[in-house]
Amino acid sequence: VFSNAALAGLVKIGYSVKVPEARACELQSTSIPGPFVVEYYCLVDDAPTLEASVHDALVAADTALTENSSGYLLKKPSALLKH
């Protein structure tokens, strides 16, 4: 889970096979100004399946704002903790 001051009130969620801090640095090359901050991460056995389940739950809870190839931007980050 990443945050960025330019995206106030939103978080980005997704999985990566890279170290979270390295992924945050890669995201700096996007069109969004400012650095991404790692807010939360965990290691899991089957990241693609877990990510799909989490995204499905977030969409069902009407939290998903935008989907792209590297995750979701969420309008209600607190929903992450409920699911």
Side-chain angles (χ1 to χ4, degrees):
V1 177
F2 298 102
S3 65
N4 183 306
L7 300 171
L10 302 174
V11 295
K12 181 170 182 58
I13 181 174
Y15 85 92
S16 176
V17 296
K18 300 177 182 181
V19 175
E21 291 79 5
R23 181 67 181 127
C25 288
E26 286 180 351
L27 291 171
Q28 288 182 320
S29 66
T30 65
S31 61
I32 299 170
F36 279 82
V37 176
V38 178
E39 298 291 345
Y40 177 81
Y41 74 93
C42 63
L43 299 175
V44 297
D45 290 328
D46 188 1
T49 300
L50 178 60
E51 180 188 44
S53 296
V54 169
H55 286 180
D56 288 347
L58 292 170
V59 168
D62 191 32
T63 58
L65 179 63
T66 307
E67 180 180 10
N68 64 34
S69 62
S70 60
Y72 274 75
L73 292 175
L74 304 176
K75 60 185 173 182
K76 298 178 189 173
S78 61
L80 281 171
L81 302 175
K82 294 177 185 175
H83 296 282

Coordinates of all heavy atoms in Angstrom, one line a residue:
V1 N 0.9 -1.2 0.0 CA 0.0 0.0 0.0 C 0.9 1.2 0.0 O 1.8 1.3 0.8 CB -0.9 0.0 1.2 CG1 -1.8 1.3 1.2 CG2 -1.8 -1.2 1.3
F2 N 0.7 2.1 -1.0 CA 1.5 3.3 -1.1 C 0.6 4.5 -1.0 O -0.5 4.5 -1.4 CB 2.2 3.4 -2.5 CG 3.1 2.3 -2.8 CD1 2.7 1.2 -3.6 CD2 4.4 2.3 -2.3 CE1 3.6 0.2 -3.9 CE2 5.3 1.2 -2.5 CZ 4.9 0.2 -3.3
S3 N 1.2 5.6 -0.5 CA 0.6 6.9 -0.5 C 1.5 7.9 -1.2 O 2.6 7.6 -1.4 CB 0.3 7.4 1.0 OG 1.5 7.6 1.7
N4 N 0.9 9.0 -1.5 CA 1.6 10.1 -2.2 C 0.9 11.4 -1.9 O -0.3 11.5 -2.0 CB 1.6 9.9 -3.7 CG 2.4 10.9 -4.5 OD1 2.2 12.1 -4.3 ND2 3.4 10.4 -5.3
A5 N 1.6 12.4 -1.4 CA 1.0 13.7 -1.0 C 0.2 14.3 -2.1 O -0.7 15.0 -1.9 CB 2.1 14.6 -0.5
A6 N 0.6 14.0 -3.4 CA -0.1 14.6 -4.5 C -1.5 13.9 -4.7 O -2.3 14.4 -5.5 CB 0.7 14.5 -5.8
L7 N -1.7 12.8 -4.1 CA -2.9 12.1 -4.2 C -3.6 12.1 -2.8 O -4.0 11.0 -2.3 CB -2.7 10.6 -4.6 CG -2.0 10.5 -6.0 CD1 -1.6 9.0 -6.2 CD2 -2.9 11.0 -7.1
A8 N -3.8 13.2 -2.3 CA -4.3 13.3 -0.9 C -5.6 12.5 -0.8 O -6.5 12.7 -1.6 CB -4.6 14.8 -0.6
G9 N -5.7 11.7 0.3 CA -6.9 11.0 0.5 C -7.0 9.7 -0.2 O -8.0 8.9 -0.1
L10 N -6.0 9.4 -1.0 CA -6.0 8.1 -1.8 C -4.8 7.3 -1.5 O -3.8 7.8 -1.0 CB -5.9 8.4 -3.3 CG -7.1 9.3 -3.9 CD1 -6.7 9.6 -5.4 CD2 -8.4 8.6 -3.8
V11 N -4.9 6.0 -1.7 CA -3.8 5.1 -1.5 C -3.7 4.2 -2.8 O -4.7 4.0 -3.4 CB -3.8 4.2 -0.3 CG1 -3.7 5.1 1.0 CG2 -5.0 3.3 -0.2
K12 N -2.6 3.7 -3.1 CA -2.4 2.8 -4.2 C -2.1 1.4 -3.6 O -1.3 1.2 -2.7 CB -1.2 3.2 -5.0 CG -0.9 2.3 -6.2 CD 0.1 3.0 -7.1 CE 0.4 2.2 -8.4 NZ -0.8 1.9 -9.2
I13 N -2.8 0.4 -4.1 CA -2.7 -1.0 -3.6 C -2.4 -1.9 -4.8 O -2.9 -1.7 -5.9 CB -3.9 -1.5 -2.8 CG1 -3.7 -2.9 -2.3 CG2 -5.1 -1.4 -3.7 CD1 -4.7 -3.4 -1.4
G14 N -1.4 -2.8 -4.6 CA -1.1 -3.7 -5.6 C 0.0 -4.6 -5.1 O 0.5 -4.5 -4.0
Y15 N 0.5 -5.6 -5.9 CA 1.6 -6.4 -5.5 C 2.7 -6.3 -6.4 O 2.6 -5.8 -7.6 CB 1.1 -7.9 -5.3 CG 1.2 -8.7 -6.6 CD1 2.3 -9.4 -7.0 CD2 0.1 -8.7 -7.5 CE1 2.4 -10.1 -8.1 CE2 0.2 -9.4 -8.7 CZ 1.3 -10.1 -9.0 OH 1.4 -10.9 -10.1
S16 N 3.9 -6.6 -5.9 CA 5.1 -6.6 -6.7 C 6.0 -7.7 -6.3 O 5.9 -8.1 -5.2 CB 5.8 -5.2 -6.5 OG 7.0 -5.2 -7.2
V17 N 6.9 -8.1 -7.2 CA 7.9 -9.1 -6.8 C 9.1 -8.4 -6.3 O 10.1 -9.1 -6.0 CB 8.2 -10.1 -8.0 CG1 7.0 -10.9 -8.4 CG2 8.7 -9.3 -9.2
K18 N 9.1 -7.1 -6.3 CA 10.3 -6.3 -5.9 C 10.1 -5.9 -4.4 O 9.0 -5.9 -3.8 CB 10.4 -5.1 -6.8 CG 10.6 -5.5 -8.2 CD 10.6 -4.3 -9.1 CE 10.8 -4.8 -10.5 NZ 10.9 -3.7 -11.4
V19 N 11.2 -5.4 -3.9 CA 11.2 -4.8 -2.5 C 10.3 -3.6 -2.6 O 10.4 -2.8 -3.5 CB 12.6 -4.5 -2.1 CG1 12.7 -3.7 -0.8 CG2 13.5 -5.7 -2.1
P20 N 9.4 -3.4 -1.6 CA 8.4 -2.3 -1.7 C 9.1 -0.9 -1.9 O 8.6 -0.1 -2.6 CB 7.7 -2.4 -0.3 CG 7.9 -3.8 0.1 CD 9.2 -4.3 -0.4
E21 N 10.2 -0.7 -1.2 CA 10.9 0.6 -1.4 C 11.4 0.8 -2.8 O 11.3 1.9 -3.4 CB 12.0 0.8 -0.4 CG 11.5 0.9 1.0 CD 11.1 -0.4 1.7 OE1 11.3 -1.5 1.1 OE2 10.7 -0.3 2.9
A22 N 11.8 -0.3 -3.5 CA 12.3 -0.2 -4.8 C 11.1 0.1 -5.8 O 11.2 0.9 -6.7 CB 13.0 -1.5 -5.3
R23 N 10.0 -0.5 -5.5 CA 8.7 -0.3 -6.3 C 8.3 1.2 -6.1 O 7.9 1.8 -7.1 CB 7.6 -1.3 -5.9 CG 6.4 -1.1 -6.7 CD 6.5 -1.4 -8.1 NE 5.3 -1.2 -8.8 CZ 5.2 -0.5 -9.9 NH1 6.3 0.1 -10.5 NH2 4.0 -0.3 -10.5
A24 N 8.4 1.7 -4.9 CA 8.0 3.1 -4.6 C 8.9 4.0 -5.5 O 8.4 5.0 -6.0 CB 8.1 3.4 -3.2
C25 N 10.1 3.7 -5.6 CA 11.0 4.5 -6.4 C 10.7 4.5 -7.9 O 10.7 5.5 -8.6 CB 12.5 4.1 -6.2 SG 13.2 4.5 -4.6
E26 N 10.3 3.3 -8.3 CA 9.9 3.1 -9.7 C 8.6 4.0 -10.0 O 8.5 4.6 -11.1 CB 9.5 1.7 -10.1 CG 10.7 0.8 -10.2 CD 10.3 -0.6 -10.5 OE1 9.1 -1.0 -10.5 OE2 11.2 -1.4 -10.8
L27 N 7.8 4.1 -9.1 CA 6.5 4.9 -9.3 C 6.8 6.3 -9.4 O 6.0 7.1 -9.9 CB 5.5 4.6 -8.1 CG 4.9 3.2 -8.1 CD1 4.2 3.0 -6.8 CD2 4.1 3.0 -9.3
Q28 N 8.0 6.8 -9.0 CA 8.3 8.2 -9.1 C 8.5 8.6 -10.6 O 8.4 9.8 -10.9 CB 9.6 8.5 -8.3 CG 9.3 8.5 -6.8 CD 10.6 8.9 -6.1 OE1 11.7 8.5 -6.4 NE2 10.4 9.6 -5.0
S29 N 8.6 7.6 -11.5 CA 8.8 7.9 -12.9 C 7.4 8.1 -13.6 O 7.4 8.3 -14.8 CB 9.6 6.9 -13.6 OG 9.0 5.6 -13.6
T30 N 6.4 8.0 -12.8 CA 5.0 8.2 -13.4 C 4.7 9.7 -13.5 O 5.5 10.5 -13.1 CB 3.9 7.5 -12.5 OG1 3.9 8.1 -11.3 CG2 4.2 6.0 -12.4
S31 N 3.6 10.0 -14.0 CA 3.2 11.4 -14.2 C 2.8 12.1 -12.8 O 2.5 13.3 -12.8 CB 2.1 11.5 -15.2 OG 1.0 10.8 -14.8
I32 N 2.7 11.3 -11.8 CA 2.3 11.9 -10.5 C 3.5 12.5 -9.8 O 4.5 11.8 -9.6 CB 1.7 10.8 -9.6 CG1 0.4 10.2 -10.3 CG2 1.3 11.3 -8.2 CD1 -0.1 9.0 -9.7
P33 N 3.4 13.8 -9.4 CA 4.6 14.4 -8.8 C 4.8 13.9 -7.4 O 3.9 13.5 -6.7 CB 4.2 15.9 -8.8 CG 2.7 15.9 -8.8 CD 2.3 14.7 -9.6
G34 N 6.0 14.0 -6.9 CA 6.3 13.6 -5.5 C 6.6 12.1 -5.3 O 6.2 11.3 -6.2
P35 N 7.2 11.8 -4.2 CA 7.5 10.4 -4.0 C 6.3 9.6 -3.4 O 5.4 10.2 -2.8 CB 8.6 10.5 -2.9 CG 8.3 11.8 -2.2 CD 7.7 12.7 -3.2
F36 N 6.3 8.3 -3.7 CA 5.4 7.4 -3.1 C 6.0 6.9 -1.8 O 7.2 6.7 -1.7 CB 5.1 6.2 -4.0 CG 4.0 6.6 -5.1 CD1 4.4 7.2 -6.2 CD2 2.7 6.3 -4.9 CE1 3.5 7.6 -7.2 CE2 1.8 6.6 -5.8 CZ 2.2 7.2 -7.0
V37 N 5.2 6.7 -0.8 CA 5.6 6.2 0.5 C 5.0 4.9 0.8 O 3.8 4.7 0.6 CB 5.2 7.2 1.6 CG1 5.5 6.7 3.0 CG2 5.8 8.6 1.4
V38 N 5.8 3.9 1.2 CA 5.3 2.6 1.6 C 4.6 2.7 2.9 O 5.2 3.1 3.9 CB 6.4 1.6 1.7 CG1 5.9 0.2 2.1 CG2 7.2 1.5 0.4
E39 N 3.3 2.5 2.9 CA 2.5 2.5 4.1 C 2.3 1.2 4.8 O 2.2 1.1 6.0 CB 1.1 3.1 3.8 CG 1.1 4.5 3.3 CD 1.5 5.6 4.3 OE1 1.6 5.3 5.5 OE2 1.9 6.7 3.9
Y40 N 2.3 0.1 4.0 CA 2.1 -1.2 4.5 C 2.5 -2.2 3.4 O 2.3 -2.0 2.2 CB 0.6 -1.4 4.8 CG 0.3 -2.9 5.3 CD1 0.5 -3.2 6.6 CD2 -0.2 -3.8 4.4 CE1 0.3 -4.5 7.0 CE2 -0.5 -5.1 4.8 CZ -0.2 -5.5 6.1 OH -0.5 -6.7 6.5
Y41 N 3.1 -3.3 3.8 CA 3.3 -4.4 2.9 C 3.4 -5.7 3.7 O 3.6 -5.7 5.0 CB 4.6 -4.3 2.1 CG 5.9 -4.4 2.9 CD1 6.5 -5.7 2.9 CD2 6.5 -3.4 3.6 CE1 7.7 -5.9 3.7 CE2 7.7 -3.6 4.3 CZ 8.3 -4.8 4.3 OH 9.4 -5.0 5.0
C42 N 3.2 -6.8 3.1 CA 3.3 -8.1 3.7 C 3.7 -9.1 2.6 O 3.5 -9.0 1.4 CB 2.0 -8.6 4.4 SG 0.6 -8.8 3.2
L43 N 4.4 -10.2 3.1 CA 4.8 -11.3 2.2 C 3.8 -12.4 2.2 O 3.4 -12.8 3.3 CB 6.2 -11.8 2.6 CG 7.3 -10.8 2.6 CD1 8.6 -11.4 3.2 CD2 7.6 -10.3 1.2
V44 N 3.4 -12.8 1.1 CA 2.4 -13.9 1.0 C 2.8 -14.9 0.0 O 3.6 -14.7 -0.9 CB 1.0 -13.3 0.6 CG1 0.5 -12.4 1.7 CG2 1.0 -12.7 -0.7
D45 N 2.2 -16.1 0.1 CA 2.6 -17.2 -0.8 C 2.0 -17.0 -2.2 O 2.7 -17.4 -3.2 CB 2.1 -18.5 -0.3 CG 2.9 -19.0 1.0 OD1 4.1 -18.6 1.1 OD2 2.3 -19.6 1.9
D46 N 0.8 -16.6 -2.4 CA 0.2 -16.5 -3.7 C -0.4 -15.1 -3.9 O -1.6 -14.8 -3.9 CB -1.0 -17.5 -3.8 CG -1.5 -17.6 -5.2 OD1 -1.1 -16.9 -6.1 OD2 -2.5 -18.4 -5.3
A47 N 0.6 -14.1 -4.2 CA 0.2 -12.7 -4.3 C -0.8 -12.4 -5.4 O -1.8 -11.7 -5.1 CB 1.4 -11.9 -4.5
P48 N -0.8 -13.0 -6.6 CA -1.8 -12.7 -7.6 C -3.2 -13.1 -7.1 O -4.1 -12.3 -7.4 CB -1.3 -13.5 -8.8 CG 0.2 -13.7 -8.6 CD 0.3 -13.8 -7.1
T49 N -3.3 -14.2 -6.5 CA -4.7 -14.6 -6.1 C -5.2 -13.7 -4.9 O -6.3 -13.3 -4.9 CB -4.6 -16.1 -5.6 OG1 -4.2 -16.9 -6.7 CG2 -6.0 -16.6 -5.1
L50 N -4.3 -13.4 -4.0 CA -4.7 -12.6 -2.9 C -5.1 -11.2 -3.4 O -6.1 -10.6 -3.0 CB -3.6 -12.5 -1.8 CG -3.9 -11.6 -0.6 CD1 -5.2 -12.0 0.1 CD2 -2.7 -11.5 0.3
E51 N -4.3 -10.7 -4.3 CA -4.5 -9.3 -4.8 C -5.9 -9.3 -5.5 O -6.7 -8.4 -5.3 CB -3.5 -8.9 -5.8 CG -3.7 -7.5 -6.4 CD -2.8 -7.1 -7.5 OE1 -2.5 -8.0 -8.4 OE2 -2.3 -6.0 -7.5
A52 N -6.2 -10.3 -6.3 CA -7.5 -10.4 -7.0 C -8.6 -10.4 -6.0 O -9.7 -9.7 -6.2 CB -7.5 -11.6 -7.9
S53 N -8.5 -11.2 -4.9 CA -9.5 -11.3 -3.9 C -9.7 -9.9 -3.2 O -10.8 -9.5 -2.9 CB -9.2 -12.3 -2.8 OG -9.1 -13.6 -3.4
V54 N -8.6 -9.3 -2.9 CA -8.7 -8.0 -2.2 C -9.3 -6.9 -3.1 O -10.2 -6.2 -2.7 CB -7.3 -7.5 -1.7 CG1 -7.3 -6.0 -1.3 CG2 -6.8 -8.4 -0.6
H55 N -8.9 -6.9 -4.4 CA -9.5 -6.0 -5.3 C -11.0 -6.3 -5.5 O -11.8 -5.3 -5.6 CB -8.8 -6.1 -6.7 CG -7.5 -5.4 -6.6 ND1 -6.7 -5.4 -7.7 CD2 -6.8 -4.8 -5.7 CE1 -5.5 -4.7 -7.4 NE2 -5.6 -4.4 -6.2
D56 N -11.4 -7.5 -5.6 CA -12.9 -7.9 -5.7 C -13.6 -7.3 -4.5 O -14.7 -6.8 -4.6 CB -13.1 -9.4 -5.8 CG -12.6 -9.9 -7.2 OD1 -12.4 -9.1 -8.1 OD2 -12.5 -11.1 -7.3
A57 N -13.1 -7.5 -3.3 CA -13.7 -7.0 -2.1 C -13.8 -5.5 -2.1 O -14.8 -4.9 -1.7 CB -13.0 -7.5 -0.8
L58 N -12.8 -4.8 -2.5 CA -12.8 -3.4 -2.6 C -13.8 -2.8 -3.6 O -14.5 -1.9 -3.3 CB -11.4 -2.8 -2.9 CG -10.4 -3.1 -1.8 CD1 -9.0 -2.7 -2.2 CD2 -10.7 -2.3 -0.5
V59 N -13.9 -3.5 -4.7 CA -14.9 -3.1 -5.7 C -16.3 -3.3 -5.2 O -17.2 -2.4 -5.3 CB -14.7 -3.8 -7.1 CG1 -15.9 -3.6 -8.0 CG2 -13.4 -3.4 -7.7
A60 N -16.5 -4.4 -4.5 CA -17.8 -4.7 -3.9 C -18.2 -3.7 -2.9 O -19.4 -3.4 -2.7 CB -17.8 -6.1 -3.4
A61 N -17.2 -3.2 -2.2 CA -17.4 -2.2 -1.1 C -17.4 -0.8 -1.6 O -17.5 0.2 -0.9 CB -16.4 -2.3 0.0
D62 N -17.4 -0.6 -3.0 CA -17.4 0.7 -3.6 C -16.2 1.5 -3.2 O -16.4 2.7 -2.9 CB -18.7 1.4 -3.4 CG -18.8 2.6 -4.3 OD1 -18.3 2.6 -5.4 OD2 -19.5 3.6 -3.9
T63 N -15.0 0.9 -3.1 CA -13.9 1.7 -2.7 C -12.9 2.0 -3.8 O -12.1 2.9 -3.7 CB -13.1 1.0 -1.6 OG1 -12.7 -0.3 -2.1 CG2 -13.9 0.8 -0.3
A64 N -13.1 1.3 -4.9 CA -12.1 1.4 -6.0 C -12.4 2.7 -6.8 O -13.6 2.9 -7.2 CB -12.2 0.2 -6.9
L65 N -11.4 3.5 -7.0 CA -11.6 4.7 -7.8 C -11.1 4.5 -9.2 O -11.7 4.7 -10.1 CB -10.8 5.8 -7.1 CG -10.8 7.2 -7.8 CD1 -12.2 7.7 -7.8 CD2 -9.9 8.2 -7.1
T66 N -9.9 3.9 -9.3 CA -9.2 3.7 -10.6 C -8.4 2.5 -10.5 O -7.7 2.2 -9.6 CB -8.3 4.9 -10.9 OG1 -9.0 6.1 -10.8 CG2 -7.7 4.8 -12.3
E67 N -8.5 1.7 -11.6 CA -7.6 0.5 -11.7 C -6.6 0.7 -12.8 O -7.0 1.3 -13.8 CB -8.5 -0.7 -12.0 CG -7.6 -2.0 -12.1 CD -8.5 -3.2 -12.5 OE1 -9.6 -3.1 -12.8 OE2 -7.9 -4.3 -12.4
N68 N -5.4 0.3 -12.6 CA -4.4 0.3 -13.7 C -3.6 -0.9 -13.6 O -3.9 -1.8 -12.8 CB -3.5 1.6 -13.6 CG -2.7 1.7 -12.4 OD1 -2.2 0.7 -11.9 ND2 -2.5 2.9 -11.9
S69 N -2.6 -1.1 -14.4 CA -1.8 -2.3 -14.5 C -1.0 -2.6 -13.2 O -0.6 -3.7 -13.0 CB -0.8 -2.2 -15.7 OG 0.1 -1.2 -15.5
S70 N -0.9 -1.7 -12.3 CA -0.1 -1.9 -11.1 C -0.9 -1.8 -9.8 O -0.3 -1.6 -8.8 CB 1.2 -1.1 -11.1 OG 0.8 0.3 -11.1
G71 N -2.2 -1.8 -9.9 CA -3.0 -1.8 -8.7 C -4.2 -0.8 -8.8 O -4.6 -0.4 -9.9
Y72 N -4.7 -0.5 -7.6 CA -5.8 0.4 -7.5 C -5.5 1.7 -6.7 O -4.6 1.7 -5.8 CB -6.9 -0.3 -6.7 CG -7.9 -1.2 -7.5 CD1 -7.5 -2.4 -7.9 CD2 -9.2 -0.7 -7.7 CE1 -8.3 -3.2 -8.6 CE2 -10.0 -1.6 -8.4 CZ -9.6 -2.8 -8.9 OH -10.4 -3.6 -9.5
L73 N -6.1 2.8 -7.1 CA -6.2 3.9 -6.3 C -7.5 3.9 -5.5 O -8.5 3.7 -6.2 CB -6.0 5.2 -7.1 CG -4.7 5.5 -7.8 CD1 -4.8 6.7 -8.6 CD2 -3.6 5.6 -6.7
L74 N -7.5 4.0 -4.2 CA -8.7 3.9 -3.4 C -9.1 5.2 -2.9 O -8.3 6.0 -2.4 CB -8.5 2.9 -2.3 CG -7.9 1.5 -2.7 CD1 -7.7 0.7 -1.5 CD2 -9.0 0.8 -3.6
K75 N -10.5 5.4 -2.9 CA -11.0 6.6 -2.3 C -11.4 6.5 -0.8 O -11.6 7.4 -0.1 CB -12.2 7.1 -3.1 CG -13.4 6.1 -3.1 CD -14.5 6.6 -4.0 CE -15.6 5.5 -4.2 NZ -16.6 6.0 -5.1
K76 N -11.4 5.2 -0.3 CA -11.7 5.0 1.1 C -10.6 4.0 1.7 O -10.9 2.8 1.8 CB -13.1 4.3 1.2 CG -14.2 5.2 0.7 CD -15.5 4.4 0.9 CE -16.7 5.2 0.2 NZ -17.9 4.3 0.2
P77 N -9.4 4.5 1.9 CA -8.4 3.6 2.4 C -8.8 2.8 3.6 O -8.3 1.7 3.8 CB -7.2 4.5 2.7 CG -7.5 5.7 1.9 CD -9.0 5.8 1.8
S78 N -9.6 3.3 4.5 CA -10.0 2.6 5.7 C -10.7 1.2 5.4 O -10.7 0.3 6.2 CB -10.9 3.4 6.6 OG -12.1 3.7 5.9
A79 N -11.2 1.1 4.2 CA -11.9 -0.1 3.8 C -10.9 -1.3 3.7 O -11.3 -2.4 3.8 CB -12.6 0.1 2.4
L80 N -9.7 -1.0 3.5 CA -8.7 -2.0 3.5 C -8.7 -2.8 4.8 O -8.5 -4.0 4.8 CB -7.2 -1.4 3.3 CG -6.8 -1.0 1.9 CD1 -5.5 -0.3 2.0 CD2 -6.7 -2.2 1.1
L81 N -8.8 -2.1 5.9 CA -8.8 -2.7 7.2 C -10.0 -3.5 7.5 O -10.0 -4.5 8.3 CB -8.6 -1.7 8.3 CG -7.3 -0.8 8.1 CD1 -7.3 0.3 9.1 CD2 -6.1 -1.7 8.1
K82 N -11.1 -3.2 6.8 CA -12.4 -4.0 7.1 C -12.4 -5.3 6.4 O -13.2 -6.1 6.7 CB -13.6 -3.1 6.7 CG -13.7 -1.8 7.6 CD -14.8 -1.0 7.1 CE -14.9 0.3 7.8 NZ -15.9 1.2 7.3
H83 N -11.7 -5.4 5.3 CA -11.7 -6.6 4.5 C -10.5 -7.4 4.7 O -10.2 -8.4 4.3 CB -11.9 -6.3 3.0 CG -13.2 -5.6 2.7 ND1 -14.4 -6.3 2.6 CD2 -13.5 -4.3 2.5 CE1 -15.3 -5.4 2.4 NE2 -14.8 -4.2 2.3

